[in-house]
């Protein structure tokens, strides 16, 4: 599916092809919550990085979050690059050099009509802010940290992968 996205002020517009266009992941981590606002839910789409076309690149800024090393507990810079409009602050997409073929547009930045997922995955619940209520449906899956199932595997299991990919 071709996704069209933009920032709130209109300085940045982008298109990207996604074989995984269902916004089913709801991440409750502090990074998603604090950089994208609300209860989180930011990184929930997968797309082909090679197809990403951007207008307004001069308005884009990149943020790399600090994360704790699971073994040492020390803070380190995440390789994940969160792209934002430096004028209005809109979260646009995340790209990580560890998975260079993927880009993760934030569903909040997508202007195209996204399909409604038949179930959702609520993840990083151990980081959820106390004021955020989980609104899980009867088929939804809940995880204290990351689920084992990838974006691609979720789409495949439910038979909702984009056949035109």
């Amino acid at each position: 599916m071709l996704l069209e996205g933009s920032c709130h002020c209109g300085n940045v517009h982008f298109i990207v092809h996604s074989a995984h266009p269902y916004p089913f992941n709801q991440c409750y981590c502090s990074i998603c919550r604090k950089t994208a606002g609300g209860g989180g839910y930011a990184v929930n789409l997968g797309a082909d990085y090679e197809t990403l076309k951007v207008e307004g690149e001069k308005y884009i800024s990149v943020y790399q979050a600090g994360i704790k090393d699971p073994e040492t507990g020390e803070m380190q810079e995440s390789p994940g690059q969160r792209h934002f409009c430096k004028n209005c602050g809109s979260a646009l997409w995340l790209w990580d050099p560890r998975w260079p073929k993927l880009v993760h547009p934030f569903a909040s930045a997508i202007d195209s009509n996204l399909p409604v997922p038949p179930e959702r995955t609520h993840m990083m619940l151990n980081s959820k802010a106390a004021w955020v209520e989980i609104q899980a449906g009867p088929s939804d899956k809940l995880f204290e940290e990351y689920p084992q199932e990838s974006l691609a595997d979720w789409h495949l299991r439910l038979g909702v992968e984009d056949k035109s990919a």
Side-chain angles (χ1 to χ4, degrees), residues 103-118:
V103 64
H104 298 284
F106 300 154
S108 58
I110 300 301
D111 300 317
S112 306
N113 285 328
L114 293 171
V116 176

Side-chain angles (χ1 to χ4, degrees), residues 31-99:
I31 300 168
C32 289
R33 184 175 70 248
K34 291 178 181 250
T35 63
Y41 325 134
V43 183
N44 55 10
L45 300 175
D48 180 357
Y49 182 70
E50 291 180 4
T51 67
L52 179 64
K53 307 288 184 245
V54 180
E55 291 179 20
E57 287 187 49
K58 70 180 182 178
Y59 295 101
I60 294 175
S61 167
V62 173
Y63 173 68
Q64 290 177 261
I67 55 173
K68 280 188 181 177
D69 181 296
E71 293 178 17
T72 67
E74 294 180 21
M75 289 300 286
Q76 59 187 24
E77 186 177 78
S78 168
Q81 301 172 7
R82 293 169 182 269
H83 293 72
F84 295 86
C85 172
K86 59 180 151 184
N87 185 56
C88 68
S90 295
L92 301 168
W93 65 82
L94 174 115
W95 179 80
D96 192 314
R98 293 174 292 184
W99 302 279

Side-chain angles (χ1 to χ4, degrees), residues 117-139:
E119 70 178 41
R120 288 183 168 78
T121 297
H122 301 262
M123 62 187 221
M124 301 302 290
L125 294 174
N126 61 355
S127 298
K128 180 183 77 57
W131 58 266
V132 175
E133 290 186 39
I134 300 168
Q135 297 185 6
S139 300

Side-chain angles (χ1 to χ4, degrees), residues 13 30 56 64 80 140 150:
H13 291 269
S30 65
Q64 290 177 261
D140 288 4
S150 70

